[in-house]
Amino acid sequence: VYYLVQGNAIHPNSLIVLVPLLVLIMGLLSLGLGMIFSALTTKYRDLAMLLAFGVQLLMYATPVIYPLSSITNPKYKLIIMANPMSSIVETFRYAFLGSGTFSWAALAYSAIVTVVVLLAGIIIFNRVQKSFTDTV
């Protein structure tokens, strides 16, 4: 409401109702990845160092500080869109700021990848869980 009253170029739109869904997808993706990496870190201790470095690199592979529209090369755009967080961040940007891109197909891709990662995380965590106390 503040931005609408002030007449700024930032215009939240009706897609703001998707915010709970976006938070849910983001949370479940994080849960799945967290279960996978926590299970693997108990066996491979050095993975924690690699994971910290990998998270920093993935920040550049997700359009958080730059809009997806700034990428002009279609090859690089395809690589960036392969990251399931890209469509979530772009939908947040489009819903709150009125700029950016929105695609139901890209959001569905993120949801499908999230389900696959979550199921893989549950399976891996349950298999490794039996030996957690032996390792720790």
Side-chain angles (χ1 to χ4, degrees):
V1 172
Y2 171 78
Y3 291 115
L4 293 174
V5 170
Q6 293 297 321
N8 290 334
I10 298 174
H11 301 290
N13 56 35
S14 61
L15 286 178
I16 207 161
V17 298
L18 289 178
V19 169
L21 176 67
L22 295 174
V23 170
L24 179 69
I25 292 172
M26 196 169 35
L28 291 176
L29 181 63
S30 300
L31 177 66
L33 289 173
M35 287 192 309
I36 290 171
F37 285 119
S38 68
L40 292 177
T41 304
T42 59
K43 187 171 183 177
Y44 307 106
R45 299 273 183 207
D46 292 336
L47 186 62
M49 305 297 181
L50 181 65
L51 183 62
F53 181 69
V55 167
Q56 290 177 352
L57 284 179
L58 283 175
M59 282 297 293
Y60 294 105
T62 305
V64 175
I65 57 173
Y66 57 89
L68 189 62
S69 61
S70 68
I71 302 171
T72 56
N73 191 338
K75 178 178 134 184
Y76 295 131
K77 196 173 210 174
L78 185 64
I79 291 171
I80 297 292
M81 287 306 293
N83 181 355
M85 280 300 295
S86 294
S87 62
I88 296 171
V89 170
E90 279 294 306
T91 305
F92 270 121
R93 181 177 284 124
Y94 186 75
F96 283 104
L97 305 177
S99 64
T101 58
F102 172 72
S103 169
W104 285 107
L107 202 56
Y109 166 75
S110 292
I112 291 169
V113 169
T114 296
V115 169
V116 169
V117 167
L118 184 63
L119 291 176
I122 291 170
I123 292 169
I124 291 171
F125 188 85
N126 283 335
R127 285 191 181 169
V128 176
Q129 175 190 9
K130 297 169 188 157
S131 65
F132 269 2
T133 56
D134 298 337
T135 307
V136 176

